[in-house]
Amino acid sequence: MCAHLRLAGLALALSMGMTAAVAHQPAQRSAAELMDVLMWSRETIGGPFKLLDQHGKRRTEAAFRGKLMLVYFGFTSCSDVCPTDLLQMGQAVEQLGRLGDDVQPIFITLDPARDTAKRLAAYVTSFHPRLLGLGGSAAAVRQAASAYRVYYKQVGTGTDYTIDHSAFIYLMGSDGKYLGFFPPGTHAERMVEIIRPYLVSQ
Ligand code: NI
């Protein structure tokens, strides 16, 4: 089970003036605030992260310079939007053919406590052979999520908890800079249309 935050709900929240006026720590900002930042690119989106991949290897974003990055945050027990969007993301890379070699698809878990390297390894291969699964310490994940203005919150306790999270696919340029995002439910074909010009002009 995975409660996703839909654009419509967030837009409604924004129009109702729910954007908190109080200064929050980045980690505690509301979903509406973060949506607002993302929609209008009010702040820098993306940046350095230090995480561990599904083989236990340390990865930083700097290693992907020269490639476009598709970055998605979610968690492997999510049964709803995460698998759907990751499937479309994987298909987009596939449909780009050889150009797709210059795109690095990345899945970053928001549930590092349960998403071990082993679990990430089993998960990512079902979406694309080159999909990189990243996790690590809760602090490292928090830092990465914060850099991408991702909202996430654990709901419930014990072993059955789920995670509310924003679900955007971030498109990052070959210089590591943010280009834009694909909202939940974007089809692979649409992603291809938007990504291809960046690859052809490189
Ligand atoms: Ni999800």
Side-chain angles (χ1 to χ4, degrees), residues 2 4 72 75 78 81-82 165:
C2 175
H4 278 274
Y72 188 83
F75 64 112
C78 175
V81 176
C82 284
H165 67 101

Side-chain angles (χ1 to χ4, degrees), residues 132-171:
L132 194 64
L134 298 180
S137 69
V141 164
R142 173 68 65 188
Q143 184 274 323
S146 177
Y148 280 83
R149 317 300 172 199
V150 172
Y151 173 81
Y152 68 112
K153 191 172 188 295
Q154 185 176 320
V155 179
T157 51
T159 50
D160 282 342
Y161 67 86
T162 184
I163 295 173
D164 273 355
H165 67 101
S166 51
F168 303 107
I169 297 175
Y170 298 85
L171 177 62

Side-chain angles (χ1 to χ4, degrees), residues 71-126:
V71 186
Y72 188 83
F73 290 80
F75 64 112
T76 68
S77 349
C78 175
S79 57
D80 176 16
V81 176
C82 284
T84 309
D85 285 339
L86 284 169
L87 198 64
Q88 295 300 319
M89 189 167 114
Q91 283 177 5
V93 175
E94 211 50 41
Q95 287 173 21
L96 283 162
R98 281 202 181 163
L99 287 174
D101 293 345
D102 288 328
V103 180
Q104 178 60 58
I106 296 174
F107 171 74
I108 301 178
T109 181
L110 295 169
D111 187 13
R114 288 188 299 198
D115 288 342
T116 58
K118 194 178 167 190
R119 194 158 165 171
L120 281 174
Y123 187 71
V124 290
T125 48
S126 45

